[in-house]
Amino acid sequence: MKLLLLPWALLLLVTAPSPGRWPAADAQESCSHRCGEWNELCSCHPTCFGLDSCCKDFRDFCLEILPYSGSMMGGKDFVVQHLNWFSPTDGVICRFNESVQTRGHVDSLGHVHCVSPLLYETGRIPFTLSMDNGSSFPRSGTWLAVHPSKVSQTEKLQLENETRWQYYGTAGTKGNLTLTWNTAALPTQSVTIELWGYEETGKPYSEDWTAKWSYLYALATNVSNSGFFTFTPEPAPQNYQRWEVGALRIINSEYHSGEKDVHALWSNEHALAWHLGDDFRADPVAWARTQCLAWEELEDQLPNFLEELPDCPCTLAQARSDSGRFHTDYGCDIEHGSECTYHPGAVHCVRSVQASPQYASGQQCCYTAAGTQLLTADSMGGSTPDRGHDWGAPPFRAPPRVPGLSHWLYDVISFYHCCLWAPECSRYMRRRPSSDCRSYRPPRLASAFGDPHFVTFDGANFTFNGHGEYVLLEASLTNLTVQARAQPDTTPEGTQARGTGLTAVAVQEGDSDVVEVRLAGGAGVLQVLLNQEVLSFAEQSWMDLKVAAEDRVSIMLSSGAGLEVSIQGPFLSVTVLLPEKFLTYTQGLLGTLNDNFTDDFTLRSGQVLPPDASSQELFQFGADWAVENASSLLTYDSQLLVNNFLYGPKHDPTFRPLFPDEITPNSSQTTEVAKLCGDNHFCSFDVAATGSLSVGNATRMAYQLHQRRVQSLQSVVSCGWLAPPLNGHKDGMRYLVGSTIHFHCDTGYSLAGAEASTCQANGTWSTPTPTCQPRRSHTVLLSIIFGGLAVVALMAVVFVVLRRRKGNMAIWGSQP
């Protein structure tokens, strides 16, 4: 199945509760210290623009910035919009997360600037602004700190031929190295080029385990800002050689070398082979082997993080469909050419979205072109789990939760030591073994699309085209709630259709932020809101994770549940994926997840409608799940939404839909509908309800996509990895039901046992791995045979000779 890519992905983590919906008790007319609040007199919440209810000083205190995102490494100069400051001041201070402060400034045009600090976390970082040198911070905004690998290439210091940098000093890699950068991103006459090193100190998994970036030394000062620099690396002084992971930074030469929180460009973090000492260059293999052995010794002292990682999906199709728990590893992406440098033989890898709960570790799963999972026990290209999750883990800041960098120290640089710089990869693979999939359970899938039609987690399907706001899903296990708004469309003749479709979907889990996806600005335009504030994707295509395609949003929840919202025709299509742990915990329009479709039409009261309930009964079932104002997650930021949904009924009792049993064939469209829809009754119903063949076609495609996803997520039996025989080998790396592994022995050995083993439906192999026993060659056997005959012949000759001698002695004794 070709899985559609997603244009935006939101990693929805449990954070502070979103702002309250109702007005604050103490009415004020200023937004000073009040951003995000509602008020009876005026509002400081972002929805106030659409409602024309903003306090007059809203823009002065609730800050909009440009650019709004940059690397968590810091150094991005951003400008506060709509705030002009013409009074002389040198007291601009920007405070991030209530703890990290940087010095800002006011330019000659009165624009207020801040510089983002070096952070150890990604995501939306609240910041406040002081214009009086820190006496007060009445203004607030949000800065988006981005994983270093997700920063735009135009905002980076580029290492030309980065592999050469990371192999410098090894056999055949010497000479000059080159840096390039976009001069417009750092407007200045001259620059200083610096090396910074990253380390994590203290006892692992203790409170004193600390992450730290340190300025090491300058490669060059007062270099012309030409966008190009080349040099021949010299071995670093001894006191700097302990840093093996780091990054380069360039700054305006007017600043002191190593000065923090100034406008800067950073390179990717990388292995500092080019900076290491003479001992590395003299014998890089021996040096790397020593480091590998030291890493191996340390690993054996650390906790076993593998036990709490999720099992990998069994097939490539499962891995690409389980989008709530796994996401594309961009180092090996089938949609971008499968350039799998570290995983030869694989075409696609995925990583677990969430870090493991205790050790903040990550799972990786790689697959071959045939869709088979590739294991390290069979190939160096197999998937390797990570002690440090590449994307980090809340609350970030401390090891091993620092995005990207903890992963580099505990999983990547050690791979260089053992596998790339020294031939000791078997040591690495023993401590980073691939997960098989024997315990993997695919998620359950439910969808809503078209007019709208619903397919529950247990496979029941029905049509409910109500006009209002409804609960798609409530799950008490994690207090997960998914709500949707349905509105009528217009017919080609311009009248209101008797069908409706989803126009907004909102989700919250526990006390997390609220994410909403809705149609806005006309047909075909998706808008994403976080806590009722519209997000901009002008700079970042996703929050925390990267994706690229059109008309689709993926939301990944901390429980492993996932939502995919896309545009299908004039309406939204929604897919919800739930891990198996949600069994028996769900209710709402998407049914009761318990492998029993007969109770999917359960009302709030607990009454269950039969599976063959009439269309009118199912309409009442849908109406029963109307959202209540007190629990609504949806946004009301226009008078239309306020009047029709906030103050109006959550389910419009005056709207009369078209019921399936009321459809009368339109003779002018009968042939076209039959050709388009075939036996897809959802498609034919939507053509009848809207008068549009294109709407019917969109519904048909949405349902087909749902069916393909369900097929991809079917459970698969795995028998687990089967070892080759000692002094032999095997053919085959697929360990799923029906697969057969063939065994062979090396030269000089013979097979004792079955030549093949097949994975059975009960999850066991039909026969165990055979043994390879030494065998005697034909030459040896012949030598033994002829040698034995020769011995027998020799003994016979000796016997005859002795008999003759005895006879002669008797004759001689009788003579006189």
Side-chain angles (χ1 to χ4, degrees):
M1 181 195 75
K2 179 177 176 57
L3 177 63
L4 296 177
L5 290 178
L6 322 176
W8 303 310
L10 303 171
L11 184 59
L12 186 57
L13 304 172
V14 175
T15 61
S18 57
R21 176 174 299 280
W22 307 113
D26 56 333
Q28 301 179 36
E29 295 188 31
S30 174
C31 287
S32 176
H33 297 285
R34 292 186 52 248
C35 292
E37 296 181 8
W38 277 271
N39 193 279
E40 293 178 354
L41 297 180
C42 60
S43 174
C44 299
H45 191 273
T47 55
C48 69
F49 285 110
L51 299 173
D52 196 26
S53 61
C54 297
C55 296
K56 293 181 180 179
D57 60 5
F58 178 83
R59 288 187 180 274
D60 292 334
F61 289 95
C62 304
L63 305 180
E64 178 183 341
I65 60 174
L66 194 67
Y68 64 79
S69 66
S71 171
M72 74 176 196
M73 302 297 293
K76 192 67 171 285
D77 184 316
F78 61 85
V79 180
V80 178
Q81 306 294 294
H82 315 297
L83 178 63
N84 295 313
W85 201 270
F86 297 109
S87 303
T89 182
D90 59 357
V92 181
I93 296 178
C94 312
R95 185 168 63 189
F96 297 79
N97 251 346
E98 295 297 322
S99 58
V100 181
Q101 292 188 173
T102 64
R103 177 69 63 175
H105 72 279
V106 178
D107 64 22
S108 60
L109 299 176
H111 298 150
V112 179
H113 293 246
C114 288
V115 175
S116 65
L118 172 61
L119 298 165
Y120 295 86
E121 61 181 310
T122 56
R124 289 165 59 88
I125 311 296
F127 79 92
T128 52
L129 177 66
S130 172
M131 301 300 296
D132 54 12
N133 206 32
S135 295
S136 63
F137 289 84
R139 296 171 171 82
S140 62
T142 302
W143 170 250
L144 179 61
V146 179
H147 191 292
S149 67
K150 308 299 188 293
V151 176
S152 166
Q153 297 301 309
T154 61
E155 298 288 332
K156 282 185 180 181
L157 184 58
Q158 301 289 343
L159 308 178
E160 292 296 306
N161 191 353
E162 188 169 323
T163 300
R164 179 177 166 81
W165 286 72
Q166 301 186 118
Y167 277 80
Y168 196 91
T170 61
T173 311
K174 298 179 180 178
N176 290 342
L177 297 176
T178 300
L179 290 165
T180 60
W181 63 92
N182 175 18
T183 57
L186 188 66
T188 181
Q189 292 297 315
S190 61
V191 297
T192 295
I193 303 173
E194 308 168 334
L195 175 63
W196 288 64
Y198 180 76
E199 62 183 337
E200 294 181 352
T201 60
K203 183 180 179 181
Y205 302 101
S206 70
E207 292 183 358
D208 63 347
W209 201 9
T210 304
K212 185 179 181 182
W213 273 102
S214 301
Y215 165 72
L216 302 186
Y217 53 82
L219 293 181
T221 58
N222 292 311
V223 176
S224 173
N225 188 19
S226 63
F228 178 90
F229 177 73
T230 187
F231 71 108
T232 302
E234 295 291 335
Q238 184 65 37
N239 56 323
Y240 293 121
Q241 290 180 18
R242 78 170 188 266
W243 283 278
E244 297 181 45
V245 175
L248 294 172
R249 185 183 82 153
I250 60 172
I251 59 173
N252 189 327
S253 290
E254 295 179 359
Y255 297 119
H256 300 296
S257 294
E259 189 170 343
K260 293 184 178 181
D261 305 328
V262 296
H263 193 186
L265 299 181
W266 289 85
S267 74
N268 282 336
E269 69 275 21
H270 60 280
L272 301 180
W274 59 273
H275 137 102
L276 296 176
D278 285 324
D279 53 346
F280 173 76
R281 296 190 182 187
D283 192 343
V285 172
W287 185 95
R289 179 179 287 114
T290 300
Q291 300 300 109
C292 178
L293 294 176
W295 170 80
E296 185 179 49
E297 183 178 353
L298 173 63
E299 277 290 307
D300 291 342
Q301 299 171 13
L302 297 179
N304 181 6
F305 70 92
L306 299 173
E307 295 176 348
E308 64 171 357
L309 291 179
D311 267 12
C312 285
C314 291
T315 66
L316 177 59
Q318 286 179 336
R320 300 182 71 195
S321 295
D322 192 352
S323 56
R325 292 183 289 183
F326 294 92
H327 205 272
T328 300
D329 178 348
Y330 293 100
C332 183
D333 182 1
I334 198 171
E335 297 292 343
H336 291 85
S338 298
E339 295 180 4
C340 305
T341 304
Y342 300 119
H343 300 282
V347 298
H348 192 74
C349 296
V350 296
R351 291 186 183 274
S352 56
V353 171
Q354 304 292 341
S356 64
Q358 183 175 359
Y359 298 119
S361 303
Q363 184 62 278
Q364 184 191 50
C365 315
C366 295
Y367 302 86
T368 67
T372 301
Q373 189 188 359
L374 190 61
L375 305 180
T376 53
D378 293 324
S379 167
M380 179 181 169
S383 48
T384 54
D386 303 316
R387 183 170 291 279
H389 196 295
D390 185 30
W391 299 328
F396 304 107
R397 303 186 192 180
R401 299 175 177 271
V402 179
L405 301 169
S406 292
H407 172 59
W408 254 98
L409 280 191
Y410 296 99
D411 305 296
V412 182
I413 194 62
S414 49
F415 186 81
Y416 277 83
H417 292 157
C418 299
C419 296
L420 301 183
W421 295 343
E424 299 289 342
C425 209
S426 60
R427 297 180 183 276
Y428 185 89
M429 296 305 178
R430 278 198 297 271
R431 284 152 184 80
R432 295 291 186 271
S434 299
S435 158
D436 65 21
C437 67
R438 279 176 293 178
S439 299
Y440 173 76
R441 298 293 181 268
R444 307 305 177 89
L445 185 72
S447 296
F449 50 85
D451 195 14
H453 312 288
F454 298 83
V455 183
T456 69
F457 292 106
D458 292 337
N461 63 79
F462 66 101
T463 296
F464 167 62
N465 42 13
H467 179 199
E469 295 174 348
Y470 306 95
V471 175
L472 298 187
L473 171 68
E474 287 180 350
S476 59
L477 179 69
T478 61
N479 290 325
L480 169 62
T481 302
V482 183
Q483 300 175 356
R485 178 180 294 142
Q487 295 175 263
D489 195 17
T490 55
T491 66
E493 293 76 28
T495 60
Q496 179 173 285
R498 290 185 64 187
T500 61
L502 303 183
T503 58
V505 178
V507 57
Q508 183 180 36
E509 186 169 64
D511 60 355
S512 76
D513 295 317
V514 178
V515 175
E516 180 177 351
V517 183
R518 69 184 183 185
L519 291 170
V525 178
L526 277 182
Q527 194 175 69
V528 182
L529 298 89
L530 184 71
N531 297 331
Q532 292 82 48
E533 178 182 0
V534 177
L535 296 178
S536 168
F537 291 88
E539 294 174 21
Q540 297 298 324
S541 60
W542 45 305
M543 307 292 119
D544 292 316
L545 309 177
K546 178 184 176 184
V547 228
E550 296 180 355
D551 305 333
R552 186 175 293 271
V553 174
S554 177
I555 303 170
M556 303 160 191
L557 308 176
S558 57
S559 64
L563 275 79
E564 292 187 10
V565 185
S566 62
I567 298 176
Q568 294 284 353
F571 299 121
L572 297 179
S573 174
V574 183
T575 295
V576 181
L577 299 102
L578 293 183
E580 198 174 55
K581 66 184 180 182
F582 281 88
L583 275 168
T584 74
Y585 287 101
T586 72
Q587 58 181 359
L589 296 186
L590 296 181
T592 306
L593 173 56
N594 61 0
D595 294 327
N596 177 15
F597 72 92
T598 63
D599 63 356
D600 277 354
F601 305 142
T602 301
L603 303 175
R604 289 183 190 267
S605 64
Q607 179 187 350
V608 179
L609 300 182
D612 59 352
S614 69
S615 300
Q616 288 76 10
E617 289 175 316
L618 290 174
F619 187 76
Q620 293 306 314
F621 160 70
D624 187 62
W625 283 105
V627 171
E628 298 173 352
N629 261 340
S631 60
S632 176
L633 304 178
L634 294 155
T635 301
Y636 309 96
D637 55 357
S638 70
Q639 290 301 329
L640 176 67
L641 293 175
V642 167
N643 295 335
N644 289 353
F645 295 100
L646 182 61
Y647 296 148
K650 291 299 186 183
H651 170 75
D652 183 358
T654 66
F655 179 76
R656 175 169 173 76
L658 178 68
F659 292 107
D661 53 13
E662 295 176 346
I663 293 179
T664 55
N666 184 332
S667 57
S668 65
Q669 288 185 322
T670 301
T671 302
E672 292 175 294
V673 170
K675 182 178 179 181
L676 173 67
C677 300
D679 59 356
N680 187 325
H681 60 280
F682 290 148
C683 170
S684 55
F685 175 83
D686 283 7
V687 175
T690 65
S692 170
L693 288 169
S694 64
V695 172
N697 186 49
T699 297
R700 179 183 65 87
M701 294 176 64
Y703 185 46
Q704 287 177 345
L705 178 60
H706 171 87
Q707 291 176 308
R708 289 196 296 268
R709 291 287 295 275
V710 169
Q711 184 61 38
S712 296
L713 291 170
Q714 291 297 308
S715 293
V716 178
V717 174
S718 170
C719 293
W721 181 70
L722 190 61
L726 184 65
N727 299 313
H729 57 280
K730 66 182 183 183
D731 292 335
M733 297 187 298
R734 186 176 177 87
Y735 308 113
L736 306 182
V737 64
S739 301
T740 299
I741 303 295
H742 296 271
F743 304 102
H744 308 277
C745 290
D746 297 339
T747 302
Y749 294 85
S750 58
L751 201 67
E755 295 182 353
S757 186
T758 299
C759 179
Q760 303 175 115
N762 64 359
T764 64
W765 290 101
S766 59
T767 59
T769 298
T771 59
C772 289
Q773 299 178 347
R775 65 184 181 189
R776 297 186 176 98
S777 67
H778 294 298
T779 302
V780 173
L781 289 174
L782 290 174
S783 297
I784 293 172
I785 292 170
F786 286 110
L789 291 175
V791 170
V792 171
L794 180 60
M795 291 176 65
V797 170
V798 171
F799 177 75
V800 171
V801 170
L802 290 175
R803 293 271 300 185
R804 287 181 178 177
R805 285 183 178 179
K806 186 175 181 182
N808 289 337
M809 289 177 64
I811 295 173
W812 294 338
S814 64
Q815 291 179 347

